[in-house]
Amino acid sequence: MKTNKLSLINLKNCLRETSLRFPAAIGYAALFTILTMALVWHPHLLPKSQAFNLQAFLAEGALLSVMLKLCKETGQTNFGRNAWLCHLSLAAVAMLWMPLDYLGQELITAHLSIAVLLFCLCIFLPFRRETDDIASSNLGARIIKAAIFCPLAGIVPTVLLSGLIAFSFPLFFQLSAIDKDYMSIAIIFLLFLPFLLFLSRVPKGKRLVCHQLKVGKFAIVLIRQITMPLAVIYMCILYCYDAHIALAWELPNGGVSYMVAIMAAMVFAIEFYLYFVSRGNQDYTVNWYLRWLPIFIMPLLALMSIGICRRIADYGLTASRLYLATLNVWFYVVFLLMFSTRARRIHWIPLSFAALFALTSFLPFNYNTVARLYIVNDVQQRIAQHDTDDSEILSRQDYLRNTYGYEVTTE
């Protein structure tokens, strides 16, 4: 709800309308707030892994509720009818992960993948029957903008209230606030209330299904005057490095794969911008770049592939290298499809990324599981062949302990 002036009546009406529109999401958020505050005051109430699992489930439940509501408002009634099944499935996944007794990379990555997938579905699933990506992209831009700026609205009341308590309580009541008091204030004003504000900013009605192309001035400046020049310079540097190692006939540095991944992300940003700029016009230069830019990055993707292979050969297999290798293959497929289809649609790009991330991160068997089993087997073989004080064995044991909470005995 948009209001022209701030008042208690307007705030009350806004809160009432938001509560009627997103009751389930607010319920999840309230439970998340209560659980988080309970963990602040009673840190040993639950094991860390179970506490994180429950918090992540409640946050994902709020996202799922928003997605289902938006689908219903855009006419996707089949999702609304099966809302209870979606919530039960999410709860079943959370219950499946409850036995994990260590808050490590496996659990964090798995929940992160679900959150990314639900966020993408919130933006694109309500418009799956549309013939273009204008409406979904307008919604995505508004949601991302609200998600960035709504938490900032809670900073001022958090600072003011904390300062008031810090100075007034000792002066008037001879009491001193403790860290838990300030953390409770932060939870309410930096998490719960910003989420309510975020829900109130989710478009509805005609603003939800908006087919008018809207590219903000900030996005234009960011892409045209910052990202595009940096991308050109960055690509030239990587091409120079590619030529250098080709002439020197040597393998690339293993870390170059991360640099190419950043370059690919910049190309995606430019492609998304050009996609909207090219809508409704026949600008030859824009359309030329829109089609051929994905081809320009192909030699750099080959460089990334070689760097990943060298990294794995030199240091072994880890979950991050598996994710990086999968990302490299995904880059090849996406850029080739963008070239062949001339980037007519773009919604499938973030959706395919989110789906692939989720499929490779779901427990109980995922990339983290594969990497852990590989490292455990490698450590056991090294122990059988070498002295247990070997530095490589010790470093891998530390990695297993810190990342997965897994101990490999030397006996």
Side-chain angles (χ1 to χ4, degrees), residues 385-399:
Q385 298 173 4
H386 300 89
D387 181 41
T388 56
D389 292 331
D390 184 274
S391 60
E392 186 68 23
I393 293 176
L394 294 176
S395 66
R396 288 174 182 257
Q397 286 178 319
D398 289 339
Y399 179 83

Side-chain angles (χ1 to χ4, degrees), residues 343-365:
R344 291 189 181 92
R345 300 294 298 270
I346 61 171
H347 71 282
W348 60 272
I349 297 176
L351 281 175
S352 63
F353 172 82
L356 187 61
F357 184 30
L359 288 174
T360 55
S361 303
F362 274 0
L363 295 177
F365 193 79

Side-chain angles (χ1 to χ4, degrees), residues 128-150:
R128 66 188 184 96
R129 295 176 183 171
E130 296 288 334
T131 58
D132 57 44
D133 299 321
I134 303 299
S136 59
S137 299
N138 285 332
L139 174 64
R142 291 191 179 100
I143 286 181
I144 292 173
K145 183 179 178 180
I148 293 174
F149 290 104
C150 285

Side-chain angles (χ1 to χ4, degrees), residues 155-207:
I155 294 178
V156 173
T158 301
V159 173
L160 290 177
L161 187 56
S162 299
L164 183 63
I165 291 175
F167 288 104
S168 63
F169 273 40
L171 181 62
F172 297 121
F173 307 105
Q174 289 75 48
L175 296 174
S176 297
I178 59 177
D179 293 340
K180 294 179 180 179
D181 296 319
Y182 298 117
M183 292 178 66
S184 300
I185 293 173
I187 290 170
I188 294 174
F189 287 97
L190 295 180
L191 289 178
F192 183 66
L193 293 182
F195 183 71
L196 294 182
L197 180 60
F198 166 78
L199 292 179
S200 71
R201 305 301 299 172
V202 176
K204 62 179 180 179
K206 294 182 179 179
R207 293 180 65 245

